[in-house]
């Protein structure tokens, strides 16, 4: 992301400054779109495209500087270039990152500190975008985002700056110092990146969103704009060309108002904000007064344009940390989010005034060898890593339980009261909660998203015991420990058929924006095997409250869910079928909440009124009733009349917001058998 000073250059040829107030104003529009979008202004549902505007501006400005260097000197001074980029980008970036780590330590639950530290280290290594791509982050729909998630765009730009000067220098040499030929090389690279972006959307949306190869075309579009304006073409000097800037304004408005989280992005849809930015830059360079420059040059636009980099850095942690502090299940009202966005403005000005702008011209670095700047940048990055490490270690040393113990659970009873504190004998502990998975995750019996293996896994040796097929997604897998316990007791033989993000309901699904064909193939394979083996019972369990991403119309999800459940049940010919009611859903991970509420665990319980999606409950009951299937509901063992406790006796109920711990699931074997026994007779 370019800084304010990037809008001014003083070429060695002695030409006047090429500062463009209209580009500065465009930066203001970009940052305000992003800030207001993150503050929850619904009308600006496409405000996330402000980052794409920044990409184009960055590509334009950086390429302009590099081409001027090639023209004036015939080469690029890489040391000087990288030192200049480091002085402009890193001081504000790394300072905000370090302060974010400290703020997270003060106000966020201790159990999140490992995630915070991981994000800080990735930022210090200039690889945050790669981290989020590996994690499969959905930027447009993430409910519990990282405090460093906004650094992904800086990662893209920093990586672009690493490669682009070398590519231009090499191309300039291969093209025999012809800028026109170099233009065609840049155009080919930009086109290749765009095609990779479009194709990548059909492979992995997170990698397409966060990786440099699939986003470089946006910076490349800015680079091509720089080449274009340097050609001096006659049509560029016509006053009517200024009208292009107004077309760009209109295209940006369409993007901001009509795009939303359901828009496939990036891919071809990103072309609209990119093209809009190009038109604004080209139109703004035309002579006359037909362009939008007069508006973009107004003082408010110039002010926000000047602080845009700092504002982008500070606004995101101001939104995320307070939300995490109050709890994800209690969303901040719009007025509070807007107030936080407003607070970001003076903080951004302070950062711009006392960090960003002074360090750019810091004589002690500018007057010395670029190696000194590099060493200072490395030291700053190491300092951030050290800060993150210290916070991580400190969080690990915090207490994750009280010194009191709770009564060990024997048999579960209905209407559980819940334990009011985090006991010292909690099973599993808060630190171990997220890894307390059913054994089928370790032995491969729970199929991954990419698998189509429908062979199933069997538990239980008694040939006379009834055969039960467990069929569904990861929520079905949560019931495996209870069913496996019954199988070990000889009450049933269990054939487990579970797959990540793939419900047994017959629905055309998308996964990360791509058709989830592996799910359909796996589901069909399981149904075929059910028809062949004719078990005594097929037990369906799914996570419908998540509203999986569907192909086609999704306005009435509950109706489609019911139809999909009915379709699957009707496809099962012969065996008895039962639908197992889903477990409560909490938007916040209980263990995270509990790490901050050791003496008041009740604060982390989910109100019964919000623990279930009544539309999905009605849909599943209706599907069972319409097809003659049984409906089994163990909710009375999980919830009382008011809440669904997260600790019952000495047992932690959930490993995240909606999956049972394997430890607690095993304890559900007796009540589950009471539900299954009448169905199996």
């Amino acid at each position: 992301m370019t800084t304010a000073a990037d809008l001014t250059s003083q070429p060695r040829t002695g030409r006047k400054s090429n500062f463009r107030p209209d580009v500065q104003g465009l930066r203001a529009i970009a940052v305000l779109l992003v800030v207001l979008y993150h503050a929850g202004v619904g009308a600006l549902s496409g405000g996330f495209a402000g980052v794409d505007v920044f990409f184009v501006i960055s590509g334009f400005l950086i390429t302009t500087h590099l081409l001027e260097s090639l023209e004036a000197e015939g080469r690029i001074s890489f040391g000087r270039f990288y030192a200049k980029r480091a002085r402009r980008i890193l001081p504000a970036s790394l300072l905000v990152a370090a302060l974010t780590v400290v703020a997270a330590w003060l106000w966020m639950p201790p159990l999140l500190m490992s995630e915070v530290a991981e994000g800080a280290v990735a930022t210090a290594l200039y690889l945050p975008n790669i981290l989020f791509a590996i994690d499969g982050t959905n930027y447009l729909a993430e409910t519990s985002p990282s405090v460093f998630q906004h650094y992904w765009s800086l990662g893209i730009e920093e990586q672009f700056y690493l490669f682009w000067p070398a590519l231009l220098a090499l191309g300039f040499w291969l093209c025999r110092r012809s800028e026109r030929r170099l233009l065609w090389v840049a155009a080919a690279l930009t086109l290749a990146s765009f095609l990779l972006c479009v194709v990548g959307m059909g492979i992995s949306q997170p990698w397409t969103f966060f990786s440099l190869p699939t986003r470089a075309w946006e910076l490349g579009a800015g680079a091509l704009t720089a080449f274009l304006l340097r050609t001096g073409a006659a049509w560029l000097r016509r006053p009517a060309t200024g009208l292009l800037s107004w077309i760009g304004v209109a295209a940006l408005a369409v993007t901001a108002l009509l795009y939303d989280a359901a828009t496939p992005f990036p891919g071809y849809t990103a072309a609209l904000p990119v093209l809009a930015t190009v038109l604004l830059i080209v139109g703004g360079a035309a002579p006359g007064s037909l362009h939008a420059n007069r508006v973009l040059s107004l003082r408010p636009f110039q002010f926000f344009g000047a602080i845009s980099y700092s504002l982008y850095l500070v606004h995101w942690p101001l939104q995320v940390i307070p939300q995490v502090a109050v709890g994800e299940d209690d969303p901040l009202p719009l007025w509070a989010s807007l107030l936080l966005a407003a607070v970001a403005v003076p903080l951004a000005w302070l950062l711009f005034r006392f960090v960003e702008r002074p360090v750019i011209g810091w004589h002690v670095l500018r007057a010395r060898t670029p190696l000194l700047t590099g060493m200072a940048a490395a030291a700053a990055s190491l300092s951030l890593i050290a800060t993150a490490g210290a916070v991580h270690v400190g969080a690990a040393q915090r207490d994750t339980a009280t010194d009191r113990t709770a009564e060990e659970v024997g048999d579960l009873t209905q209407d559980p009261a819940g334990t009011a504190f985090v006991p010292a004998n909690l099973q599993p502990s808060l630190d171990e909660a997220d890894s307390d998975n059913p054994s089928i995750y370790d032995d491969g019996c729970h199929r991954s998203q990419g698998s189509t293996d429908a062979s199933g896994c069997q538990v239980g040796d008694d040939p006379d015991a009834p055969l039960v097929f467990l069929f569904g997604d990861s929520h079905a897998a949560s019931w495996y420990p209870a069913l496996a316990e019954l199988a070990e007791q000889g009450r049933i033989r269990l054939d487990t058929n579970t797959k990540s993000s793939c419900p047994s309901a017959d629905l055309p699904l998308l996964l990360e924006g791509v058709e989830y064909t592996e799910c359909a193939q796996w589901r069909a394979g399981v149904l075929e095997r059910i028809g062949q083996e004719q078990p005594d019972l097929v037990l369906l369990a799914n996570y419908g409250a998540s509203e999986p991403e569907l192909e086609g119309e999704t306005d009435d999800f509950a109706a489609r869910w019911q139809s999909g459940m009915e379709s699957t049940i009707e496809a099962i010919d012969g065996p008895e079928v039962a639908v197992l009611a889903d477990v409560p859903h909490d938007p916040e991970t209980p263990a995270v909440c509990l790490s901050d509420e050791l003496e008041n665990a009740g604060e982390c319980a989910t109100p019964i009124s919000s623990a279930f999606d009544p539309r999905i409950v009605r849909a599943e009951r209706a599907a069972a009733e319409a097809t003659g299937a049984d409906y089994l509901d163990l909710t009375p063992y999980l919830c009382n009349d008011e809440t669904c406790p997260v600790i019952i006796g000495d047992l932690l109920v959930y490993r995240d917001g909606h999956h049972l711990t394997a430890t607690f699931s095993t304890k559900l074997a007796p009540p589950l058998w009471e539900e299954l026994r009448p169905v199996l007779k």
Side-chain angles (χ1 to χ4, degrees):
M1 184 172 295
T2 55
T3 61
D6 288 316
L7 295 173
T8 304
S9 67
Q10 188 68 40
R12 288 179 175 268
T13 54
R15 289 176 292 179
K16 66 179 182 179
S17 168
N18 62 355
F19 176 79
R20 288 187 52 174
D22 61 312
V23 176
Q24 188 83 302
L26 182 55
R27 288 164 51 82
I29 292 176
V31 76
L32 290 174
L33 284 176
V34 173
V35 171
L36 293 175
Y37 168 73
H38 286 153
V41 178
L44 297 177
S45 57
F48 55 83
V51 175
D52 303 85
V53 176
F54 278 126
F55 282 161
V56 178
I57 295 174
S58 295
F60 168 68
L61 295 173
I62 291 302
T63 304
T64 297
H65 295 328
L66 293 173
L67 291 177
E68 288 174 347
S69 180
L70 288 172
E71 178 188 35
E73 304 176 14
R75 65 183 183 87
I76 294 172
S77 174
F78 293 102
R80 191 170 66 223
F81 172 82
Y82 291 124
K84 192 174 182 181
R85 301 313 313 155
R87 289 195 301 269
R88 291 184 174 180
I89 293 176
L90 298 184
S93 169
L94 296 179
L95 176 61
V96 170
L99 292 176
T100 298
V101 171
V102 174
W105 162 260
L106 293 174
W107 290 298
M108 290 176 63
L111 220 58
L112 289 178
M113 286 305 102
S114 60
E115 176 187 303
V116 171
E118 183 180 61
V121 171
T123 297
L125 297 176
Y126 318 120
L127 297 171
N129 54 316
I130 303 301
L131 171 65
F132 299 129
I134 292 173
D135 289 346
T137 301
N138 186 335
Y139 179 84
L140 303 183
E142 192 70 11
T143 54
S144 300
S146 165
V147 290
F148 290 102
Q149 189 165 294
H150 62 315
Y151 276 86
W152 75 270
S153 62
L154 271 70
I156 293 283
E157 293 199 12
E158 288 161 350
Q159 293 153 26
F160 179 80
Y161 298 152
L162 179 63
F163 295 108
W164 188 238
L167 289 173
L168 281 182
L170 178 62
F172 191 66
W173 178 72
L174 293 175
C175 294
R176 299 181 181 180
R177 304 172 66 89
S178 170
E179 190 170 310
R180 186 175 297 274
R181 292 176 187 156
L182 185 58
L183 165 61
W184 290 108
V185 173
L189 292 173
T190 300
L191 178 61
S193 175
F194 176 72
L195 294 176
L196 185 61
C197 180
V198 173
V199 172
M201 286 294 289
I203 301 173
S204 172
Q205 191 274 344
W207 275 101
T208 303
F209 193 100
F210 289 114
S211 70
L212 173 63
T214 52
R215 299 304 289 262
W217 67 273
E218 301 184 39
L219 293 109
L224 295 179
T225 306
F227 275 100
L228 174 64
L229 292 182
R230 287 174 59 84
T231 64
W235 66 273
L236 293 172
R237 298 192 298 270
R238 295 171 185 162
T241 301
L243 295 174
L244 293 178
S245 64
W246 290 109
I247 298 175
V249 170
L252 273 185
V254 168
T255 301
L257 297 174
L258 299 185
Y259 280 24
D260 57 27
T263 303
F265 201 89
Y268 68 90
T269 55
L272 182 58
V274 167
L275 179 60
T277 308
V278 169
L279 292 177
L280 273 156
I281 295 174
V282 172
S289 59
L290 296 179
H291 42 55
N293 294 18
R294 183 170 297 178
V295 174
L296 293 175
S297 298
L298 294 174
R299 291 187 65 181
F301 285 103
Q302 295 301 294
F303 171 76
F304 281 104
I307 68 168
S308 58
Y309 178 56
S310 292
L311 181 56
Y312 181 82
L313 289 174
V314 303
H315 88 281
W316 180 246
L318 281 176
Q319 294 289 341
V320 174
I321 293 176
Q323 179 62 78
V324 174
V326 302
E328 296 291 341
D329 56 350
D330 188 18
L332 293 174
L334 179 59
W335 67 263
S337 296
L338 289 174
L339 179 61
L340 291 169
V343 169
V345 175
L347 292 179
W349 181 84
L350 290 172
L351 184 65
F352 168 74
R353 175 65 179 81
F354 296 104
V355 178
E356 181 186 340
R357 189 166 65 178
V359 176
I360 290 174
W362 203 6
H363 182 73
V364 69
L365 292 179
R366 292 188 64 181
R368 304 290 181 86
T369 173
L371 180 60
L372 182 61
T373 297
M375 293 173 62
S381 294
L382 289 174
S383 297
L384 174 58
I385 292 173
T387 301
V391 166
H392 179 57
V393 171
Q397 294 175 345
R398 289 189 188 181
D399 291 333
T400 56
T402 64
D403 56 3
R404 291 177 286 165
T405 59
E407 182 179 354
E408 293 185 8
V409 172
D411 293 330
L412 293 176
T413 59
Q414 295 189 8
D415 299 320
T419 304
F421 56 93
V422 179
N425 59 334
L426 183 66
Q427 302 180 63
S429 68
L430 298 185
D431 292 326
E432 298 168 338
D434 63 350
S435 60
D436 195 45
N437 289 312
S439 60
I440 52 176
Y441 280 82
D442 293 329
D443 60 23
C445 287
H446 177 71
R447 307 307 182 195
S448 65
Q449 293 173 342
S451 173
T452 58
D453 183 359
S455 59
C457 293
Q458 294 73 41
V459 182
D461 300 326
D462 187 350
D464 296 325
L467 178 60
V468 176
F469 263 53
L470 176 63
F471 185 14
D473 54 24
S474 61
H475 275 220
S478 283
W479 292 102
Y480 172 82
L483 291 164
E485 179 73 12
L486 296 178
E488 293 293 343
Q489 295 172 4
R491 297 180 185 273
I492 63 172
R493 287 178 294 136
L494 177 62
D495 192 305
T496 178
N497 303 269
T498 63
K499 176 176 167 64
S500 291
S501 307
C502 183
S504 51
D506 183 15
L507 293 168
L509 301 177
L510 300 176
L511 182 65
E512 298 176 356
V514 180
E515 184 180 358
Y516 194 5
T517 55
E518 297 88 349
C519 179
Q521 294 172 22
W522 173 81
R523 187 189 301 119
V526 174
L527 288 172
E528 181 179 358
R529 204 161 60 81
I530 289 173
Q532 293 170 350
E533 300 198 19
Q534 289 293 300
D536 296 277
L537 175 67
V538 177
L539 188 60
L540 306 180
N542 302 290
Y543 184 30
S546 68
E547 296 200 11
E549 192 177 5
L550 304 181
E551 286 188 274
E553 183 61 43
T554 60
D555 286 346
D556 191 351
F557 175 80
R560 293 194 66 183
W561 184 257
Q562 178 179 338
S563 176
M565 291 291 292
E566 291 179 5
S567 176
T568 294
I569 296 171
E570 290 168 352
I572 299 173
D573 186 14
E576 291 291 322
V577 179
V579 176
L580 189 55
D582 202 4
V583 300
H585 172 89
D586 190 329
E588 184 174 16
T589 299
V592 171
C593 176
L594 290 168
S595 71
D596 216 25
E597 298 286 353
L598 300 182
E599 295 286 354
N600 195 11
E603 288 294 317
C604 303
T606 306
I608 189 71
S609 58
S610 60
F612 302 94
D613 186 336
R615 301 171 304 145
I616 303 304
V617 173
R618 289 193 297 267
E620 292 188 345
R621 284 185 178 274
E625 182 177 350
T627 57
D630 290 279
Y631 187 79
L632 312 182
D633 190 358
L634 272 72
T635 300
Y637 293 91
L638 299 167
C639 306
N640 53 50
D641 291 338
E642 296 181 354
T643 65
C644 300
V646 293
I647 299 177
I648 297 176
D650 64 332
L651 300 178
L652 181 64
V653 182
Y654 308 99
R655 63 179 172 87
D656 60 21
H658 50 87
H659 288 94
L660 300 172
T661 62
T663 302
F664 187 82
S665 177
T666 303
K667 286 290 186 178
L668 282 168
L672 180 57
W673 174 243
E674 293 302 314
E675 294 287 324
L676 289 176
R677 185 166 52 184
V679 179
L680 290 170
K681 287 184 177 179

